[in-house]
Amino acid sequence: MRDLHSLHRLLGSTGLSVSPLGLGTVKLGRDQGVKYPNGFTIPDDQQALQLLGLARELGINLLDTAPAYGTSEQRLGPLLRGQRHDWVIVSKVGEEFDNGLSHFDFSAAHTRRSVERSLKRLETDYIDLVLVHSNGDDLAILQHEAVYDTLAELKQAGLIRGFGFSGKTVEGGLLALERGDCAMVTYNLGEQQERPVLDYAASHAKGVLIKKALASGHVCLDSGVDPVRASFELIFGHPGVASAIVGTINPLHLAHNVAMAAEVIVGTKSGNRGSAQ
């Protein structure tokens, strides 16, 4: 198997069915302050369309974007015209990126304004999942800011289908899952501190998306093992994981990642029937 069409899985109890790999789109909109080992050129519209078309062909239906990803949302709106129902779109609130710098606002007013702006930019009347883009102070955001309650209201109003938290701590991830639908967690060969969040998600039917699955392209091993395979064996070996977000703009890398993920997941399922989901 070289694609993901038959391997979609539920994202916790959101009712959303997602491909085990999602396409991160920061590189469609921003080339400043991006933590990748090599420089890159933002793809033009034709290249972006080809990349999105290849992703669909390979069975990817999950797209990850954010207001902090430069012009990513503005570009995705026109690029996805006529295809909205083919995609599960994840966006964020809380972080803005201007003139090379990030700044954060977790107020109710900003949260509403940000979601309304994302709806316009993405040319849609709903966003499947909106995550809080944490500044690292996870517990303070969840306990003292209005952003999570506001997202719950927006979900109630039908503007978003689910909400959650892209954080940096175990405590933040656990609290985010208690009160929300999904956590986005760093989990890779070099960083596994947030594993308790995956364990909680697996036992409470909550959604988990993995960020930095390949350590933002930095992953490498000296042992002769394919680092992508080793990364996916780690990630998809955990039953709490729904999908891993990979932010490549290289079609060959995308196809390789998909083929490797499919191989690993099918191998995990046949070796451990019933638990890979």
Side-chain angles (χ1 to χ4, degrees):
M1 176 184 292
R2 311 296 286 180
D3 65 52
L4 304 174
H5 286 285
S6 64
L7 298 176
H8 289 200
R9 62 268 302 274
L10 288 174
L11 180 64
S13 52
T14 61
L16 298 168
S17 179
V18 298
S19 49
L21 285 188
L23 183 63
T25 63
V26 64
K27 288 183 178 179
L28 293 187
R30 171 177 152 190
D31 57 5
Q32 288 178 291
V34 181
K35 297 170 186 165
Y36 288 94
N38 305 307
F40 63 92
T41 303
I42 293 175
D44 62 26
D45 282 355
Q46 194 54 43
Q47 292 166 323
L49 274 171
Q50 286 172 346
L51 187 75
L52 290 164
L54 176 63
R56 276 177 77 194
E57 196 179 302
L58 294 170
I60 291 175
N61 76 333
L62 183 65
L63 290 177
D64 178 68
T65 185
Y69 292 173
T71 59
S72 171
E73 287 186 323
Q74 294 97 308
R75 296 191 70 199
L76 284 172
L79 290 169
L80 299 180
R81 277 178 197 154
Q83 304 175 31
R84 178 64 186 93
H85 296 293
D86 296 331
W87 298 100
V88 173
I89 297 178
V90 181
S91 193
K92 321 278 184 354
V93 293
E95 181 182 357
E96 301 288 327
F97 185 82
D98 300 303
N99 302 315
L101 295 172
S102 284
H103 59 94
F104 295 86
D105 188 337
F106 303 107
S107 67
H110 183 269
T111 302
R112 285 186 175 278
R113 207 162 47 239
S114 180
V115 170
E116 286 164 4
R117 183 185 61 188
S118 293
L119 288 165
K120 278 203 185 89
R121 288 174 170 176
L122 291 164
E123 300 185 6
T124 182
D125 53 6
Y126 68 94
I127 301 172
D128 296 288
L129 186 69
V130 174
L131 305 177
V132 179
H133 230 161
S134 176
N135 60 3
D137 203 355
D138 296 353
L139 285 183
I141 296 166
L142 288 163
Q143 291 171 340
H144 304 300
E145 300 280 3
V147 61
Y148 231 47
D149 288 339
T150 308
L151 289 176
E153 290 166 13
L154 293 168
K155 179 182 175 180
Q156 194 70 32
L159 295 177
I160 66 179
R161 294 191 167 170
F163 68 95
F165 199 82
S166 177
K168 303 189 179 179
T169 64
V170 170
E171 297 77 16
L174 292 174
L175 183 56
L177 286 182
E178 277 178 40
R179 296 178 49 204
D181 301 305
C182 180
M184 185 177 269
V185 174
T186 298
Y187 190 62
N188 58 47
L189 293 171
E191 291 181 83
Q192 292 160 41
Q193 300 92 316
E194 293 175 66
R195 185 185 170 101
V197 183
L198 309 190
D199 297 339
Y200 180 93
S203 58
H204 291 78
K206 297 287 186 170
V208 164
L209 302 175
I210 300 299
K211 58 184 171 181
K212 301 179 186 167
L214 304 177
S216 298
H218 296 272
V219 68
C220 63
L221 296 174
D222 299 325
S223 60
V225 177
D226 183 317
V228 175
R229 173 186 283 281
S231 299
F232 289 161
E233 283 175 348
L234 171 76
I235 289 164
F236 296 118
H238 196 293
V241 174
S243 186
I245 306 298
V246 179
T248 186
I249 50 173
N250 181 317
L252 289 176
H253 288 173
L254 185 64
H256 175 69
N257 290 343
V258 165
M260 192 60 73
E263 199 174 301
V264 166
I265 292 164
V266 170
T268 303
K269 283 166 82 172
S270 58
N272 190 7
R273 291 259 170 231
S275 69
Q277 300 290 318

